Amino acid sequence: KYEKLPEGSLKDQIYALAGRLEFPLTKLFVMDGSKRSSHSNAFMFGFFKNKRIVLYDTLMQQVHVDEILAILGHELGHWKMGHTVTNFVISQLYMGASFFAFSLCYNSHELYRAFGFDDETRSVPTIIALLLFFSTVWEPIDKALSYAMTVHSRKCEFEADEFSVNLGMSQKLQSGLCKIHLENLGAMCPDPWYSTYHYSHPPLVERLSAMMRLDKKTK
């Protein structure tokens, strides 16, 4: 359920931050995420000059106003640097490439014979062909492409963190991230090899270290 963010200091400061970054914010909502879990988040959506920002009610309960603004500075950094559009284009190219490859293999009798479909006079149901293709031919390609997309996603997260740091919000972003990671029961310092392949967001410790290095450069 979405409700309009009540009038007050938080709303005024969010609109001020959006104006500072020339983000065309039209509406602010609060979502009752606490009815499902203690997970906290903030996100934005909308097209062109009609953008909205949504805050989980759990986020507002877990962190202070300045920390909410720092977290929004991170999210707005994704928009400002074009990450949203870039990721959308990449996902569409990925889907297009996978189905183009499927079209090349759709009439491959060798693929079907390997799984017991020996009668070449009968067409293999499309759903079976899809399952065979994506679980065999496409699987190793998918692993490589997924890793490349994960690397890109992690790079975007570091850039958005840096954007918030450049807004002068480094300390508040760090403390806010620590609080929501604790509340969300996120892994603080997972195995680096595992996280490099599987985590679309860098582990918290890596993000904090990167922000601390940026802080030292600005001093």
Side-chain angles (χ1 to χ4, degrees), residues 31-128:
M31 190 175 80
D32 58 346
S34 58
K35 290 185 177 180
R36 290 173 291 278
S37 72
S38 61
H39 181 82
S40 55
N41 200 1
F43 62 92
M44 54 192 181
F45 65 96
F47 295 99
F48 307 113
K49 299 295 182 181
N50 188 24
K51 306 285 190 183
R52 292 91 182 269
I53 289 178
V54 178
L55 305 175
Y56 279 40
D57 58 350
T58 47
L59 179 67
M60 299 174 64
Q61 296 163 8
Q62 294 167 4
V63 300
H64 298 302
V65 171
D66 289 344
E67 292 166 338
I68 292 176
L69 292 172
I71 292 168
L72 288 179
H74 168 94
E75 297 300 332
L76 291 171
H78 285 305
W79 168 80
K80 193 72 172 178
M81 292 183 284
H83 294 163
T84 306
V85 174
T86 301
N87 288 331
F88 175 77
V89 171
I90 289 174
S91 66
Q92 297 308 301
L93 290 174
Y94 171 84
M95 290 297 295
S98 64
F99 280 100
F100 175 73
F102 171 68
S103 71
L104 298 178
C105 298
Y106 182 64
N107 295 318
S108 173
H109 297 298
E110 290 80 4
L111 174 63
Y112 303 136
R113 278 200 300 269
F115 290 91
F117 296 91
D118 297 320
D119 189 353
E120 297 184 10
T121 63
R122 298 177 59 186
S123 61
V124 177
T126 303
I127 185 64
I128 299 297

Side-chain angles (χ1 to χ4, degrees), residues 93-102 104-105 111 130-146 149:
L93 290 174
Y94 171 84
M95 290 297 295
S98 64
F99 280 100
F100 175 73
F102 171 68
L104 298 178
C105 298
L111 174 63
L130 278 168
L131 289 172
L132 290 177
F133 171 77
F134 281 105
S135 62
T136 57
V137 177
W138 188 251
E139 186 68 15
I141 301 172
D142 176 67
K143 295 297 183 183
L145 292 179
S146 295
M149 293 168 67

Side-chain angles (χ1 to χ4, degrees), residues 4-29 51-53 69 72 76:
K4 290 185 176 179
L5 182 67
E7 298 292 334
S9 174
L10 175 59
K11 184 174 183 179
D12 293 340
Q13 291 185 68
I14 292 175
Y15 269 102
L17 176 62
R20 177 183 172 188
L21 301 177
E22 300 179 342
F23 179 74
L25 178 60
T26 56
K27 292 181 181 178
L28 270 171
F29 295 103
K51 306 285 190 183
R52 292 91 182 269
I53 289 178
L69 292 172
L72 288 179
L76 291 171

